[in-house]
Amino acid sequence: MEVVVCIGSGCHLKGSHQVIEKLLALIKEHGLEEKVTVKAAFCRGKCQEGVAMSIDGQEILGVSPETISAIFQKYIAGDLL
């Protein structure tokens, strides 16, 4: 599974670094390091929507440090655990 998180300036200001840190911690906590790859990308053109990310090509908008746990449970853990 590939997760791509935008680190462009707009998303950076909205917390993309914290999103990536929390996401990596959740992946490690659940032992999914071998199954999930996290990559960073520059502007995805969705700057007004909050942090933009995609999971295996499925775009997820409005991500924040506060919502990444729920997104992880729904889109990543739900498919792999």
Side-chain angles (χ1 to χ4, degrees), residues 2-16:
E2 181 179 79
V3 179
V4 180
V5 180
C6 179
I7 58 167
S9 57
C11 288
H12 175 74
L13 293 173
K14 293 177 179 144
S16 63

Side-chain angles (χ1 to χ4, degrees), residues 11 14 29 39 54 69 71 74:
C11 288
K14 293 177 179 144
E29 178 183 324
K39 296 182 178 181
S54 65
S69 293
I71 290 168
K74 181 176 181 179

Side-chain angles (χ1 to χ4, degrees), residues 1-2 27 31-37 56 76 80-81:
M1 179 175 286
E2 181 179 79
I27 290 167
L32 297 175
E33 299 95 335
E34 300 293 322
K35 296 181 179 181
V36 181
T37 302
D56 286 342
I76 299 172
L80 296 178
L81 293 178

